[in-house]
Amino acid sequence: MTIELVDGKAGVAHISSEDKAIIHQAKFSKSDVVFDWGDAFKCTMGSANKATIGTGCASIQGLDWHITAAESVTISNGSQGMKRNDIICAHYHQDSKTGNENVELTVLKGSPNATAAADPTIPSGKILSGAVDAYMPLWRIPLDGITVGTPVRLFTPRWALWDSVTLEQQPFPFFGNVLRLQKHKGLVIATVSASPKSTSNNLYDVAVNETIANGFRPSSRDAIMTSVSHGGDVASVLIHPDGRISMFGTLTVGHHYLWQGVWPTE
């Protein structure tokens, strides 16, 4: 039969990793996924030769795996005058004789180049098509000579399905009211209805004291909130990835502003 109640009692052992991979791909994605759990695989360089990957939970082609205590991997020495990119991956492997499966961290070493580093080729392999090896890139480790640069993350953590809507309300004296931040599936929806406490004309990139709370900040680039008052004044703010806020435009006492903004977050 090609129909199976995967989570049902069959009287015999019948749930396979293939079953779970199919269902997880359908639920979450055919792509590899890192979930927002633990340290989300945070990478730190303890030395030029040692990278530490923190706790986290992920799915490689539908098969779940996790790290429950920090793991270390070795980075090979760089070469004087040469640039190189190494990639830290999760490596899935199935023993072709026993069928046993496991995941471990591995480093794919790039080719040294005198002018520009390039990422090594990530071997392709589809587990559900019978591949016994598959690789999930996590971090790029750039090397310039014998100097190791800042690790570059190659994934964006996904929020848990059961925490897809999160609400935060922050007092914002500059706006004169409470800023409402709602997070849904990786997007922040920000709204505030306010009247300024003082008049400011032709503001340009003026920093305010308030910052956006962690977990609600833009993921990689500046976001914008805009507003037009009932008197026709136009104002906007930039929300920076570190939470800082910069003000632009004109604010007039006695005018009412409705602010709105939407941006992706991690």
Side-chain angles (χ1 to χ4, degrees), residues 3-127:
I3 300 177
E4 180 183 5
L5 182 60
V6 174
D7 292 331
K9 181 177 179 180
V12 294
H14 69 101
I15 300 176
S16 67
S17 61
E18 180 183 25
D19 291 327
K20 302 306 289 184
I22 291 171
I23 291 171
H24 286 184
Q25 283 190 11
K27 285 183 177 179
F28 304 118
S29 174
K30 290 184 179 180
S31 302
D32 298 333
V33 179
V34 173
F35 299 102
D36 182 38
W37 183 85
D39 295 325
F41 301 139
K42 180 180 179 180
C43 180
T44 55
M45 298 300 301
S47 67
N49 298 100
K50 182 180 179 181
T52 299
I53 305 298
T55 59
C57 182
S59 176
I60 179 170
Q61 297 185 31
L63 296 178
D64 292 341
W65 63 280
H66 59 209
I67 297 177
T68 55
E71 294 274 343
S72 296
V73 293
T74 299
I75 306 298
S76 299
N77 289 329
S79 306
Q80 195 71 45
M82 304 294 282
K83 302 178 186 297
R84 194 181 86 220
N85 285 344
D86 289 357
I87 302 293
I88 299 176
C89 295
H91 173 209
Y92 161 90
H93 177 71
Q94 182 185 79
D95 188 295
S96 57
K97 294 181 178 178
T98 65
N100 293 341
E101 301 163 290
N102 74 293
V103 169
E104 62 181 6
L105 296 178
T106 190
V107 179
L108 300 180
K109 185 178 177 180
S111 299
N113 188 286
T115 55
D119 291 349
T121 300
I122 308 297
S124 60
K126 299 297 183 184
I127 297 171

